[in-house]
Amino acid sequence: MGSKDQGGGAASSGGGFFSSFAAGMRSWGTAVHKSVNGLLGYEGLEVINPDGGTDDAEEEALKGRWKQEDRDSYWKMMHKYIGSDVTSLVTLPVIIFEPMTMLQKMAELMEYCELLDKADECEDPYMRMVYASTWAVSVYFAYQRTWKPFNPILGETYEMVNHQGISFLAEQVSHHPPMGVAHCENEHFTYDITSKLKTKFLGNSVEVYPVGRTRVTLKKSGVVLDLVPPLTKVNNLIFGRTWVDSPGEMVMTNLTTGDKVVLYFQPCGWFGAGRYEVDGYVYSAAEEPKIMITGKWNKSLSCQPCDQEGDPLPGTELKEIWRVAPTPQGDKYQYTHFAHKINSFNTAPKKLLASDSRLRPDRYALEKGDMSKSGAEKSRLEEQQRAEKRTREAKGEQFTPRWFNMTDVVAPTPWGDLEIYEYNGKYTDHRAAIDSSNVTDETDVTSIEFNPWRYGSSSSQ
């Protein structure tokens, strides 16, 4: 039994003042739900129109990406899983996938990592929390995409350089349950996360619980930050236009000083009221509000100093901290420019690991628009992964990650306990050896065969 981690924990209220504030926000209500009772065979499913009222749910139900025959087939396969965690329970068609894996999606949090650089350079402890928490919110613009990323193969990795001076590495350390671990750093900060997504399938929607532990260390001050994000709900999976919401609290705690940020993500209300809105405060360790933060997670966030009642201080004004960068127009997958960089080999380091997500043939085929090949390659990789498991069990061996070690720490989260992995430093030595080498690498990186395997003739070991 591992030791309990005392640094994380479930999201707290952030003080009595914010509890009253959040309660007021919740009175806005939630988006309109209406059962699709008029369509035979789909009784009880709820359609949620984020932009409408109570009378247009059946009209909304006829919209979306699914053809009638595909929707019927999908529902026959999925209805028996209502109430279940479907993270890796079922094999899904590539028609709902985007050409990116979950490890790559973990890297999207680094798009605006210059906010962590600013937090590290900031002398004001409360503005430091403003910058850091705004960084945590900034990724939600990318998270609103409605396509599913590929589940990583056990042992798969993702490396990223050439962005804000960072070196990012993620590795899939468990297949059942799916767990990814990442480490990132530059001259200003280190970032470490252990992530184990948990889901609950509700028929026409799925709730995604971010079971994980995040640690950010700012190098100049040495402070360590903990992050507890809200859950995410993907609505209208089968009927209607799919859309994403993340209602609830995000809590960032300075584990060094006791200061914290509590932000409330408003749920989408009638005719879109409250959608995207984020409001909250930076609190001192004594739970006094110091700075208010407000804005929309799909546009921008601003801040303003406040008094002990949470009201803006006289003579101050809102200061914009972050704004979403321009995005490509008409992109099939609603990718940002940074998402395209994540898939690009321009952000790959020299001598890229053969286990890197970019090299997956199913992901690459989907990126090139070949859905048939993508589906076939996805099935082949999944079967090879099952064969690896059979070989491992026959040998009486257990999978051991290369770049991260399992600790004896068990961290509590709002959605269950989590076994924690830590970066073992071997990748830093691996990269240093490559970077110091005078040997020119003329390998065409696109010709490297994807290879996360540990057994057989294709083993990378």
Side-chain angles (χ1 to χ4, degrees), residues 130-142:
V130 170
Y131 287 122
S133 59
T134 299
W135 161 78
V137 172
S138 67
V139 74
Y140 280 82
F141 177 79

Side-chain angles (χ1 to χ4, degrees), residues 42 66-76:
Y42 299 98
W66 293 94
K67 297 177 182 178
Q68 177 67 47
E69 59 272 21
D70 293 333
R71 181 178 65 192
D72 292 343
S73 175
Y74 180 66
W75 176 242
K76 287 177 182 178

Side-chain angles (χ1 to χ4, degrees), residues 244-359:
V244 177
D245 202 15
S246 297
E249 289 182 350
M250 171 183 283
V251 180
M252 176 174 277
T253 305
N254 185 328
L255 300 178
T256 307
T257 66
D259 301 334
K260 70 171 55 176
V261 179
V262 184
L263 299 175
Y264 185 67
F265 286 55
Q266 289 194 38
C268 180
W270 291 281
F271 297 97
R275 190 179 185 190
Y276 309 116
E277 293 183 11
V278 180
D279 299 281
Y281 293 90
V282 178
Y283 292 91
S284 68
E287 297 193 346
E288 296 177 344
K290 295 294 184 180
I291 302 176
M292 60 177 287
I293 301 173
T294 186
K296 293 188 175 185
W297 53 258
N298 70 330
K299 287 186 179 179
S300 65
L301 286 183
S302 300
C303 72
Q304 188 170 5
C306 65
D307 59 24
Q308 292 190 3
E309 301 301 317
D311 296 322
L313 286 176
T316 65
E317 58 185 30
L318 277 174
K319 174 186 176 182
E320 185 173 279
I321 300 298
W322 161 80
R323 178 170 290 274
V324 169
T327 58
Q329 295 298 309
D331 191 273
K332 178 178 180 180
Y333 295 103
Q334 296 86 48
Y335 273 12
T336 62
H337 289 293
F338 185 69
H340 284 290
K341 285 180 66 175
I342 285 175
N343 269 342
S344 169
F345 288 102
N346 292 332
T347 55
K350 186 166 62 173
K351 292 192 175 180
L352 180 69
L353 293 171
S355 49
D356 194 88
S357 297
R358 296 178 187 84
L359 302 172

Side-chain angles (χ1 to χ4, degrees), residues 21-195:
F21 167 79
M25 291 297 98
R26 292 186 181 97
S27 68
W28 280 79
T30 56
V32 176
H33 296 53
K34 187 166 182 178
S35 294
V36 191
N37 293 319
L39 298 176
L40 189 63
Y42 299 98
E43 292 81 4
L45 285 183
E46 289 184 319
V47 172
I48 308 174
N49 181 358
D51 303 313
T54 58
D55 299 325
D56 58 1
E58 290 189 10
E59 178 183 346
E60 174 67 27
L62 300 175
K63 302 175 182 177
R65 69 172 63 134
W66 293 94
K67 297 177 182 178
Q68 177 67 47
E69 59 272 21
D70 293 333
R71 181 178 65 192
D72 292 343
S73 175
Y74 180 66
W75 176 242
K76 287 177 182 178
M77 177 180 70
M78 293 297 297
H79 76 276
K80 60 184 176 183
Y81 295 111
I82 289 178
S84 300
D85 183 351
V86 293
T87 307
S88 60
L89 198 59
V90 294
T91 299
L92 298 171
V94 294
I95 188 177
I96 66 171
F97 280 67
E98 63 177 336
M100 182 180 286
T101 73
M102 276 302 304
L103 296 181
Q104 293 174 286
K105 205 167 182 71
M106 291 170 73
E108 285 202 85
L109 189 54
M110 291 300 145
E111 177 168 6
Y112 300 98
C113 64
E114 68 272 11
L115 290 165
L116 288 181
D117 296 349
K118 291 180 179 179
D120 182 53
E121 295 167 347
C122 186
E123 299 292 338
D124 183 319
Y126 304 122
M127 277 303 300
R128 181 184 299 147
M129 295 298 285
V130 170
Y131 287 122
S133 59
T134 299
W135 161 78
V137 172
S138 67
V139 74
Y140 280 82
F141 177 79
Y143 282 177
Q144 70 181 321
R145 294 198 305 269
T146 58
W147 305 92
K148 184 190 180 303
F150 287 89
N151 285 344
I153 299 295
L154 186 62
E156 184 175 327
T157 57
Y158 176 73
E159 304 172 80
M160 185 178 192
V161 294
N162 300 330
H163 175 72
Q164 299 292 337
I166 67 169
S167 173
F168 179 95
L169 172 70
E171 182 176 14
Q172 190 74 0
V173 298
S174 173
H175 182 59
H176 288 297
M179 291 181 67
V181 186
H183 173 81
C184 180
E185 63 180 291
N186 67 4
E187 63 178 323
H188 292 287
F189 68 87
T190 61
Y191 163 83
D192 291 279
I193 185 171
T194 300
S195 176

